Amino acid sequence: MPVLVMKFGGTSVATLDRIKRAAKRVGVEVAKGYDVIVIVSAMSGKTNELVGWVNETSPLYDAREYDAVVSSGENVTAGLMALTMQEMDVPARSWQGWQVPLKTTSAHGAARIEEIPPDNINAKFGEGMRVAVVAGFQGVSPEGRITTLGRGGSDTTAVAFAAAFDAERCDIYTDVDGVYTTDPRVAPKARKLEKIAFEEMLELASLGAKVLQTRSVELAMRYNVRLRVLSSFEEQSDNAGTLVCAEEEIVENNVVSGVAYSRDEAKMTLISVADRPGIAANIFTALSEGGVLVDMIVQNISEEGRTDMTFSCPTDQVARAEAAMAKAKEDGIVNFAELIADVEVAKVSVVGIGMRSHTGVAAKMFQCLSADGINIKVITTSEIKISVLIERKYMELAVQALHDAFELDKAA
Ligand code: ASP
Ligand code: MG
């Protein structure tokens, strides 16, 4: 029988009533003839509570015990969902990660999935089980200990199961009804997209559109898993939500598909570093060894063999960056006059696969920002994205203006 993966996020299983509502949706698909793998999150708020308990008990906790505690929220919802399905006379069974087994690396707290052998679950489907309810977010390490996949990881569990079982589709039920052209709280004219390409979704997810865990989109792209994001609070229909799929499936699309933003960025400028081979390598080696996540990088024009180097990082990593550069200076690895941190900046990006074949997107973006008197501090581009750093107080204005300029409120 064809397999469908259905994932229910924390708000969709927050109460027994909501679990019942989710179970009914699963029942509809079972009645259509699917064998269903249901992936559940913990009840909303539960994982935060468990993380809090761990921190309170042991601030410098042993990550193996962190995983033992925080993975438990999903065990509860998996069992309750299986019981609810059984009450509806649908043969169902719950599975914890180790029982499948969902094999991961031993990087506790941020483990990566290595393998999901489908045999155990398939054997049960063969015996008449129609629904396998799997606890999301968790797996088992080569040492046989419970691991977790990082916050939001049950999206990744769902996509990995869809790939391992060659599922027809992976439906992600959440508290929003799809993927929008931008954050509707920032730009009320934001429009729900019917379809979005994997690559665009990847850019939007990593730029802070918190609908899907970034790794789940990477995985979906690699294995060509069709993902549908939809709300569990709305009436069910076959074309509800947003389909995240391969580019080839999208016939009509705007040049720009979405505007993303990230509020907490910092612009760091190293004044007067030597302009000679190896210096950039030394700077960014020092930053990476200091655990700083560098995003944009710009090297300015040099004068008399000295240049300024600018990079961006999240605001909460400014102290790390400063410490790493101070150490590099002390060790004689990088010589610079000063490190200036501008922590009042935000990043705004336009994303769209249409940029590959259309010119003028950058010009339009910069004209739009200048018309509103917004100064651009740093620019970076990729094949399908243009990002700028601007003063943070203009972030909302910039998102709205760009949304208007690229007419994202209208479908292609
Ligand atoms: N419950 C976990 C979390 O809150 C995993 C998930 O829901 O995706 O991060
Ligand atoms: Mg989530």
Side-chain angles (χ1 to χ4, degrees):
M1 282 196 224
V3 172
L4 199 65
V5 171
M6 301 172 77
K7 183 251 167 179
F8 293 94
T11 49
S12 309
V13 292
T15 62
L16 297 185
D17 269 347
R18 289 192 186 172
I19 291 177
K20 223 182 253 171
R21 185 172 351 184
K24 278 192 193 138
R25 292 197 177 243
V26 177
V28 170
E29 302 298 343
V30 170
K32 286 185 199 162
Y34 286 107
D35 278 341
V36 181
I37 298 176
V38 175
I39 310 293
V40 287
S41 285
M43 290 178 169
S44 67
K46 192 70 207 173
T47 309
N48 285 344
E49 182 182 45
L50 296 170
V51 170
W53 287 348
V54 170
N55 282 318
E56 209 178 311
T57 308
S58 171
L60 296 175
Y61 54 74
D62 176 338
R64 289 164 292 197
E65 300 309 336
Y66 167 96
D67 278 351
V69 177
V70 304
S71 62
S72 66
E74 273 72 9
N75 298 345
V76 175
T77 43
L80 289 172
M81 178 65 84
L83 286 172
T84 310
M85 300 291 336
Q86 290 174 1
E87 287 295 320
M88 292 163 49
D89 291 326
V90 178
R93 184 62 64 208
S94 73
W95 302 75
Q96 296 182 10
W98 64 272
Q99 292 172 302
V100 173
L102 187 151
K103 298 183 184 174
T104 73
T105 60
S106 23
H108 286 276
R112 298 191 80 94
I113 299 173
E114 304 256 78
E115 197 196 348
I116 306 179
D119 314 351
N120 289 341
I121 287 181
N122 274 337
K124 287 289 173 192
F125 278 140
E127 289 168 20
M129 175 186 72
R130 299 299 309 282
V131 177
V133 187
V134 178
F137 178 52
Q138 53 171 266
V140 61
S141 73
E143 294 76 30
R145 300 215 62 96
I146 307 299
T147 54
T148 62
L149 308 178
R151 298 306 305 272
S154 49
D155 293 336
T156 300
T157 308
V159 174
F161 269 86
F165 286 80
D166 205 9
E168 206 167 284
R169 210 178 53 238
C170 179
D171 285 345
I172 307 271
Y173 285 89
T174 174
D175 50 359
V176 293
D177 61 353
V179 179
Y180 278 71
T181 49
T182 193
D183 185 344
R185 287 165 305 183
V186 171
K189 283 194 219 163
R191 176 177 56 88
K192 183 167 73 84
L193 292 160
E194 212 172 291
K195 288 182 179 177
I196 185 166
F198 290 127
E199 277 181 279
E200 293 173 321
M201 190 63 226
L202 202 52
E203 292 286 2
L204 294 176
S206 61
L207 288 168
K210 294 186 184 63
V211 194
L212 290 169
Q213 197 196 33
T214 307
R215 273 170 57 199
S216 71
V217 185
E218 281 168 7
L219 211 57
M221 182 157 100
R222 173 138 36 103
Y223 293 100
N224 202 11
V225 172
R226 299 168 82 233
L227 273 177
R228 194 163 63 135
V229 177
L230 68 174
S231 161
S232 57
F233 302 107
E234 299 207 337
E235 280 313 305
Q236 196 151 6
S237 76
D238 279 340
N239 51 7
T242 299
L243 186 69
V244 188
C245 59
E247 224 176 297
E248 295 74 41
E249 266 195 71
I250 301 173
V251 193
E252 286 287 341
N253 67 307
N254 289 320
V255 177
V256 167
S257 302
V259 180
Y261 64 84
S262 148
R263 192 183 298 273
D264 298 309
E265 299 285 326
K267 173 178 166 245
M268 311 290 286
T269 306
L270 281 163
I271 306 288
S272 188
V273 294
D275 187 11
R276 60 176 164 75
I279 293 299
N282 289 351
I283 293 171
F284 293 100
T285 303
L287 290 169
S288 103
E289 281 171 359
V292 181
L293 283 170
V294 172
D295 179 22
M296 305 167 137
I297 299 173
V298 179
Q299 183 180 328
N300 304 329
I301 285 179
S302 78
E303 230 172 281
E304 290 163 20
R306 311 293 293 179
T307 183
D308 296 344
M309 185 82 85
T310 299
F311 62 91
S312 71
C313 67
T315 28
D316 61 6
Q317 296 195 347
V318 168
R320 266 172 198 266
E322 286 171 340
M325 291 321 302
K327 181 167 182 298
K329 190 173 185 177
E330 211 178 277
D331 296 349
I333 294 166
V334 183
N335 189 338
F336 59 94
E338 219 186 325
L339 174 57
I340 300 172
D342 176 358
V343 295
E344 291 298 317
V345 297
K347 181 171 66 173
V348 175
S349 311
V350 298
V351 173
I353 45 176
M355 281 184 215
R356 289 202 192 111
S357 48
H358 285 77
T359 57
V361 177
K364 191 168 183 174
M365 178 179 192
F366 304 155
Q367 276 159 14
C368 166
L369 295 172
S370 91
D372 276 316
I374 301 170
N375 188 34
I376 300 170
K377 296 175 177 245
V378 180
I379 302 168
T380 56
T381 64
S382 79
E383 214 188 358
I384 65 161
K385 178 185 75 172
I386 303 170
S387 300
V388 295
L389 279 190
I390 58 171
E391 248 185 281
R392 184 171 307 134
K393 66 178 182 204
Y394 294 127
M395 194 197 77
E396 278 87 358
L397 176 63
V399 170
Q400 290 159 7
L402 291 168
H403 198 271
D404 285 344
F406 287 100
E407 299 184 39
L408 296 187
D409 53 331
K410 299 187 191 92

mmCIF file of all heavy atoms in Angstrom, residues 60 318 339 352 362 394:
data_model
loop_
_atom_site.group_PDB
_atom_site.id
_atom_site.type_symbol
_atom_site.label_atom_id
_atom_site.label_comp_id
_atom_site.label_asym_id
_atom_site.label_seq_id
_atom_site.Cartn_x
_atom_site.Cartn_y
_atom_site.Cartn_z
ATOM 1 N N LEU A 60 25.808 22.886 33.707
ATOM 2 C CA LEU A 60 26.777 22.366 32.732
ATOM 3 C C LEU A 60 26.483 20.888 32.484
ATOM 4 O O LEU A 60 27.332 20.015 32.596
ATOM 5 C CB LEU A 60 28.209 22.538 33.261
ATOM 6 C CG LEU A 60 28.676 23.977 33.464
ATOM 7 C CD1 LEU A 60 30.060 24.010 34.116
ATOM 8 C CD2 LEU A 60 28.707 24.730 32.141
ATOM 9 N N VAL A 318 28.581 38.744 19.283
ATOM 10 C CA VAL A 318 29.523 39.855 19.197
ATOM 11 C C VAL A 318 30.661 39.684 20.209
ATOM 12 O O VAL A 318 31.840 39.841 19.876
ATOM 13 C CB VAL A 318 28.784 41.198 19.410
ATOM 14 C CG1 VAL A 318 29.771 42.334 19.625
ATOM 15 C CG2 VAL A 318 27.904 41.496 18.207
ATOM 16 N N LEU A 339 38.389 47.060 16.219
ATOM 17 C CA LEU A 339 37.234 46.272 15.771
ATOM 18 C C LEU A 339 35.981 47.037 16.190
ATOM 19 O O LEU A 339 35.733 47.242 17.379
ATOM 20 C CB LEU A 339 37.245 44.872 16.412
ATOM 21 C CG LEU A 339 36.028 43.981 16.148
ATOM 22 C CD1 LEU A 339 35.793 43.766 14.666
ATOM 23 C CD2 LEU A 339 36.186 42.622 16.841
ATOM 24 N N GLY A 352 14.227 34.279 -4.754
ATOM 25 C CA GLY A 352 13.397 33.744 -5.839
ATOM 26 C C GLY A 352 14.224 33.057 -6.907
ATOM 27 O O GLY A 352 15.247 33.578 -7.339
ATOM 28 N N ALA A 362 18.289 43.350 -8.498
ATOM 29 C CA ALA A 362 19.092 44.138 -7.547
ATOM 30 C C ALA A 362 18.772 45.624 -7.714
ATOM 31 O O ALA A 362 18.541 46.329 -6.727
ATOM 32 C CB ALA A 362 20.579 43.882 -7.773
ATOM 33 N N TYR A 394 14.642 50.451 10.469
ATOM 34 C CA TYR A 394 13.948 50.503 9.175
ATOM 35 C C TYR A 394 13.527 49.123 8.671
ATOM 36 O O TYR A 394 13.039 48.991 7.556
ATOM 37 C CB TYR A 394 14.847 51.149 8.115
ATOM 38 C CG TYR A 394 15.148 52.600 8.368
ATOM 39 C CD1 TYR A 394 16.462 53.069 8.398
ATOM 40 C CD2 TYR A 394 14.115 53.517 8.575
ATOM 41 C CE1 TYR A 394 16.742 54.403 8.635
ATOM 42 C CE2 TYR A 394 14.384 54.851 8.819
ATOM 43 C CZ TYR A 394 15.703 55.290 8.846
ATOM 44 O OH TYR A 394 15.965 56.606 9.082
#
